[in-house]
């Protein structure tokens, strides 16, 4: 155990927390592993603050025991991002294997110092949920800067150091700052950048140490050398290169410049043979790249070390759970038995979110030391290293993105007044999209419900209980946003000089408006929670009432209802996330020297905390509603399945795959759910519904790639209990998405019994034609009025997501749908076609993977729409002769559209939002199915 006489370095220890808690590699409630019997040996570990600690472990103990002791000593929950490295007998830096005995890896423990360092660098530091973890990452960045591993331009280097200095000595005082920089060296060429560091430090007034650490990580993560550990190699021509691994895949560097990258989705296999490191890529018909790439490294041991860290990076960032150990061979072994040991990033995030420890605050000492690694604070009577802390008002400090740096890592030069004005305009645009729609029109959910109330809600076909449930819970939200809009419009009018408020000096404030209204919105939480109940009740009532079903169907066919009706039940909940995004962007754009900074801290941060609390509270409700709404929407596009929205079923992915049969490859639309994989073909009916052809229950299913067997690119075989299906994807990336989702779904389905397969089989009606099915359904409805509301053939839109995926031969996942619903935008844009000369001004709404075009924001329904699935968004090239600023290009095959925004800020927002939903999202969250949804 830790020697009591050694000076501890508990960087951010939780006050009053039990010493045995907070170990990331243990399950909740467990204690550290029992120490194996045997003689104790002393292992010295150097922490990130350069202090050293001695741990006593058994000579038989595996590496995991030592690692758990270090995490327990630091009281670190997210320890899985870190590792212990040391130099082996060949002077190579290697990672301590957590599964092997320590003394089999470290031959001379008395003469070896292990270093506790960051092992896995996530792409976004906001994925680090604990402030202590971010503090340790900040220490790692400081170390990499000092030793020259993290290279960057002079401006970025000076900005990084300025945040470190702000964290250590606080607000700028010229004499103290200069003396501190003279006594401490943070970068190799620090003297030449002294003036620039001081200039930046002056701009951080009021910034807490926690905020400084956050800024440091925000800047560092954008640098090309962030988290990079170079492994020397040569290509086949003998050119000196370096290989490294990141969250996205394997990278190739020449010097400090990245020259190539192999994403995990493109890599089929990584291996090594003696000195050769081999990367086998998935076949790509559109690329001339070699199938297998070969790199020469210094030795077989160098290859093996790099191969191991590649295996660990892939498992940590790409898998949902720790891979299971391979069964031991009976007679002989082949290849390495090494595997990743520990939690994956997804497991770490889920554990911390479910853990109570993250709610315990840290304290950081206000005193600062002249040594960059010697800041100490008294905790429980012992000296300990500085930890992350709270803001002066007792709240956890809000993460603030650096206002001085662009996405490319260079210094920002935006005019502060213009930025502030654009932030307020952005707020008005976001808020108005919910509230202004209530009064004038552009497809807002609340306005639509008032129209729904007039045309459907007053009809006697709607029961009083349903009418009260829907409108009693939507009307308060409607009235709230009317007031909210009025407040924002009034403040914006003052901001733009249409009143004499500037004389009073309060025309630039906006945080107080947000805080007042967000606090009012919190009072409506109970009403928002009722929206899911209203959606369910409406669907159930439509099943038993043909009249109400017909009214809803007719209303949905009106031009004003440009999206499926049930999507609008989700809009008020999605607005919460939009408000959260607005407040986060508001906080980002105010530097500490700005006039609005205090207002931002006093009001916007409080409002952000309140809205974040609401988002967390309603998150489960929203997830269930999104899934249920998607099942109801898909029922409109399918025929031949009796009841799609059964309890416990979750939608995962839909899209096109080609099925291999005796007639060759035939295009089919596949629907992947948590219990079954269905495949269909497009019918020739008036409604263009997709006819069911077959289904494969996931329970007991196996899957393997079969390109070599069938000679079809991107093909794989699905083996069910009763049948097998050979399918092919349109590209390697599509194949990767399907394989990943199907494998995940199979694992989840195996946790349950196969009773769902019997339910599905009984509802399958593939033997009948659509006409026969309709005839049977009509007769059943006449007898019992029990037919579901979404199965009758009706005039059907051809631009639903299913049809767009069919025509553009692509796929979308539930994660993509959720991201699309959460990322929406509206505003004025100028549109130009490929072969036209002029620009047309339109009010454009981006939602549900589509652009909707209005002549003005007061129009009640759109003139046209453009589904963006399959489209790419880029910036026009010089050869296209678009001599205008702030123009982006949308193109799919021969279809090309140009759009021009009013400013650089709005241009970046449109690019950001469209990119987030047109590019298929990775699995940023796993689907938890511990309990089935109850509809």
């Amino acid at each position: 155990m830790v020697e009591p006489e050694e000076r501890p370095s508990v960087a951010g220890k939780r006050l009053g927390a039990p010493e045995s808690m907070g170990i990331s590699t243990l399950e909740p409630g467990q204690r550290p592993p029992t120490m194996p019997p045997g003689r104790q040996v002393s292992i010295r570990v150097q922490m990130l603050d350069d202090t050293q600690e001695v741990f006593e472990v058994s000579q038989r103990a595996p590496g995991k025991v030592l690692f758990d002791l270090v995490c327990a000593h630091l009281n670190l929950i997210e320890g899985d991002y870190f590792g212990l490295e040391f130099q082996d007998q060949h002077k190579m830096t290697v990672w301590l294997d957590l599964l092997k005995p320590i003394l089999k890896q470290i031959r001379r423990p008395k003469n070896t110092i292990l270093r506790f360092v960051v092992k896995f660098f996530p792409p976004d530091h906001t994925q680090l949920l604990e402030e202590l973890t971010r503090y340790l990452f900040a220490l790692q960045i400081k170390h990499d800067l000092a030793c020259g591993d993290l290279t960057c331009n002079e401006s970025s280097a000076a900005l990084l150091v300025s945040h470190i200095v702000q964290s250590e000595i606080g607000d700028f005082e010229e004499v103290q700052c200069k003396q501190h920089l003279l006594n401490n060296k943070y970068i190799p060429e620090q003297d030449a950048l002294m003036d620039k560091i001081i200039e930046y430090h002056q701009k951080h007034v009021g910034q807490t140490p926690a905020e400084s650490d956050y800024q440091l990580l925000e800047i560092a993560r954008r640098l090309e050398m962030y988290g990079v550990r170079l492994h020397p190699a040569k290509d086949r021509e003998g050119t000196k290169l370096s290989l490294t691994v990141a969250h996205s895949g394997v990278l190739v560097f020449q010097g400090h410049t990245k020259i190539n990258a192999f994403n995990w989705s493109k890599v089929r296999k990584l291996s090594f043979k003696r000195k050769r490191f081999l990367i086998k890529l998935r076949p790509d018909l559109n690329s001339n790249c070699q199938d297998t790439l070969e790199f020469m490294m210094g030795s077989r041991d160098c290859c093996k070390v790099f191969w191991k860290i590649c295996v660990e990076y892939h498992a940590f960032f790409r898998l949902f759970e720790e891979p299971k150990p391979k069964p031991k061979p009976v007679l002989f072994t082949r290849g390495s038995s090494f595997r990743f040991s520990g939690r994956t990033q997804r497991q770490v995030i889920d554990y911390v979110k479910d853990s109570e420890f993250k709610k315990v605050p840290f304290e950081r000492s206000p005193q600062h030391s002249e040594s960059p690694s010697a800041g100490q604070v008294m905790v429980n009577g012992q000296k300990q290293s500085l930890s992350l802390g709270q803001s002066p008002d007792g709240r956890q400090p809000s993460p603030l993105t650096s206002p001085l740096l662009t996405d490319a890592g260079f210094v920002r030069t935006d005019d502060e007044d213009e930025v502030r004005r654009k932030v307020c305009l952005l707020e008005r645009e976001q808020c108005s999209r919910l509230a202004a729609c209530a009064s004038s029109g552009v497809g807002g959910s609340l306005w639509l419900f008032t129209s729904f109330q007039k045309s459907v809600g007053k009809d006697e076909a709607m029961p009083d209980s349903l009418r009260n449930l829907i409108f009693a819970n939507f009307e308060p939200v409607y009235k709230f946003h009317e007031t909210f809009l009025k407040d924002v419009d009034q403040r914006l009018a003052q901001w733009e000089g249409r009143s004499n408020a500037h004389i009073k000096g309060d025309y630039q404030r906006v945080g107080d408006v947000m805080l007042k209204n967000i606090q009012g919105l919190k009072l409506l939480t109970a009403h928002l929670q009722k929206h899911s109940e209203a959606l369910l009740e409406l669907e159930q009532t439509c099943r038993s009432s043909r009249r109400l079903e017909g009214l809803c169907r007719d209303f949905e066919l009106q031009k004003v209802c440009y999206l499926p009706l049930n999507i609008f039940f989700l809009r008020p909940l999605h607005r919460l996330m939009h408000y959260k995004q607005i407040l986060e962007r508001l906080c980002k754009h105010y530097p500490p020297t700005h006039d609005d900074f205090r207002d931002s801290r006093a009001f916007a941060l409080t409002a952000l905390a309140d809205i974040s609390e609401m988002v967390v509270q309603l998150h489960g409700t929203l997830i269930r509603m999104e899934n249920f709404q998607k099942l109801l929407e898909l029922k409109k596009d399918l025929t031949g399945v009796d009841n799609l929205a059964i309890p416990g079923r979750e939608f995962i992915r839909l899209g096109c795959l080609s099925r291999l049969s005796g007639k060759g490859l035939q295009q089919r639309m596949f629907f992947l759910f948590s219990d079954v994989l269905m495949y269909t073909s497009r019918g020739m009916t008036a409604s263009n519904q997709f006819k069911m052809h077959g289904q494969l229950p996931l329970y007991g299913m196996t899957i393997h790639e079969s390109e070599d067997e069938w000679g079809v690119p991107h093909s794989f075989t699905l083996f069910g209990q009763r049948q097998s299906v050979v399918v092919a994807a349109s590209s390697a990336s599509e194949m990767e998405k399907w394989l990943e989702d199907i494998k995940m779904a199979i694992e989840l389905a195996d946790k349950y019994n196969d009773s769902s397969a019997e339910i599905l089989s009984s509802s399958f009606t593939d033997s009948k034609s659509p006409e026969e099915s309709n005839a049977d359904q009509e007769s059943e409805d006449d007898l019992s009025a029990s037919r579901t509301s979404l199965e009758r053939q009706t005039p059907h839109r051809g631009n639903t997501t299913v049809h767009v995926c069919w025509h553009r031969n692509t796929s979308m996942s539930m994660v993509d749908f959720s991201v699309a619903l959460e990322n929406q935008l509206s505003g004025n844009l100028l549109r130009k076609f490929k072969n036209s000369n002029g620009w047309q001004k339109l009010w454009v709404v981006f939602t549900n993977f589509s652009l909707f075009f209005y002549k003005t924001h007061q129009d009640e329904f759109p003139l046209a729409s453009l589904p963006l699935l399959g489209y790419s968004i880029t910036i026009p090239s010089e050869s296209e002769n678009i001599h205008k600023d702030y123009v982006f290009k949308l193109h799919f095959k021969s279809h090309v559209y140009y759009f021009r925004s009013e400013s650089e800020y709005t241009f970046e927002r449109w690019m950001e939002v469209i990119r987030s939903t047109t590019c298929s999202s990775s699995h940023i969250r796993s689907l938890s199915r511990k309990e089935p949804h109850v509809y």
Side-chain angles (χ1 to χ4, degrees), residues 264-290:
W264 294 125
S265 60
K266 298 179 181 179
V267 176
R268 187 170 184 179
K269 183 179 181 181
L270 295 176
S271 60
F272 65 94
K273 187 174 183 180
R274 297 186 178 91
K275 292 184 179 182
R276 293 181 298 156
F277 185 82
L278 306 173
I279 304 176
K280 187 173 183 180
L281 302 176
R282 298 186 183 278
D284 188 352
L285 299 178
N286 300 322
S287 173
N288 296 325
C289 187
Q290 297 174 336

Side-chain angles (χ1 to χ4, degrees), residues 196 529 652 703 822:
K196 188 169 289 188
Q529 289 174 329
I652 298 177
I703 181 174
E822 295 169 9

Side-chain angles (χ1 to χ4, degrees), residues 495-680:
W495 199 309
E496 295 180 341
R498 296 197 297 267
S499 73
N500 62 355
H502 61 281
I503 300 175
K504 302 176 183 178
D506 60 355
Y507 67 103
Q508 295 177 340
R509 299 177 58 186
V510 72
D512 58 328
V513 175
M514 298 297 292
L515 177 59
K516 183 187 75 171
N517 285 280
I518 294 301
Q519 289 177 339
L521 187 59
K522 287 184 68 176
L523 302 177
L524 301 177
T525 302
H527 293 288
L528 294 171
Q529 289 174 329
K530 287 285 187 178
H531 289 187
S532 60
E533 185 179 339
L535 177 61
L536 174 60
E537 187 67 25
L538 177 62
E539 171 61 19
Q540 291 177 339
T541 306
C542 286
R543 291 184 181 184
S544 57
S545 172
R546 296 183 62 183
R547 167 127 181 112
L548 181 60
E549 175 197 5
L551 289 171
C552 292
R553 182 178 66 249
D554 294 342
F555 178 79
E556 197 170 39
L557 291 175
Q558 296 180 21
K559 291 183 178 180
V560 293
C561 190
Y562 62 97
L563 294 174
L565 175 62
N566 47 36
I567 283 185
F568 292 98
F569 281 81
L570 303 176
R571 286 300 174 84
L573 292 179
H574 287 138
R575 294 303 183 205
L576 299 180
M577 286 177 286
H578 297 166
Y579 293 150
K580 182 173 180 287
Q581 294 168 2
I582 292 168
L583 288 165
E584 288 173 341
R585 288 198 295 271
L586 176 64
C587 293
K588 287 180 183 180
H589 284 279
Y590 290 134
T593 54
H594 198 280
D595 294 338
D596 285 358
F597 183 72
R598 293 185 180 277
D599 175 61
S600 174
R601 288 180 56 82
F603 297 109
L605 294 181
T606 306
L608 178 59
D610 290 339
I611 199 69
S612 299
E613 181 182 343
M614 289 188 67
V615 168
V616 171
Q617 186 176 355
L618 294 168
H619 180 71
T621 300
L622 178 59
I623 294 300
R624 289 191 296 273
M625 286 184 69
E626 286 181 345
N627 181 72
F628 186 46
Q629 181 276 323
K630 182 51 62 178
L631 293 177
L632 296 180
E633 183 181 339
L634 292 179
K635 285 172 67 177
K636 296 181 181 180
D637 291 301
L638 295 176
T639 180
V641 59
D642 187 36
N643 188 9
L644 195 67
I646 63 174
R649 173 174 288 167
E650 295 186 28
F651 166 71
I652 298 177
R653 179 174 288 276
L654 66 83
C656 277
L657 292 172
S658 297
R659 185 190 175 204
L660 183 62
S661 65
K663 299 180 180 179
L665 290 174
Q666 296 179 313
Q667 185 178 358
R668 294 287 182 262
M669 178 62 71
F670 280 71
F671 299 87
L672 177 62
F673 302 97
S674 57
D675 58 343
V676 68
L677 177 65
M678 301 178 181
Y679 57 96
T680 66

Side-chain angles (χ1 to χ4, degrees), residues 181-195:
L181 290 172
L182 291 173
N183 294 339
N184 301 276
K185 194 163 187 176
Y186 299 102
I187 51 177
E189 304 298 328
Q190 182 170 302
D191 294 339
L193 298 177
M194 185 84 74
D195 293 338

Side-chain angles (χ1 to χ4, degrees), residues 711-778:
V712 178
H714 320 309
S715 63
F716 53 95
T717 306
L718 303 168
F719 294 95
Q721 292 182 339
R722 299 180 182 177
Q723 68 176 117
S724 61
V725 176
V726 181
V727 296
S730 60
S731 64
S733 60
E734 279 292 304
M735 176 181 173
E736 179 76 15
K737 296 171 190 174
W738 277 106
L739 287 176
E740 186 176 353
D741 279 345
I742 294 174
K743 289 177 181 178
M744 176 193 69
I746 291 173
E747 292 177 2
L748 294 169
D750 287 342
K751 296 180 181 179
Y752 302 98
N753 57 38
D754 57 352
S755 60
S756 60
E758 300 176 1
I759 298 174
L760 292 171
S761 299
S762 64
S763 65
F764 184 60
T765 59
D766 184 45
S767 60
K768 300 181 181 180
S769 68
E771 292 76 14
E772 293 171 336
S773 298
N774 287 332
D776 290 347
Q777 290 167 0
E778 288 292 344

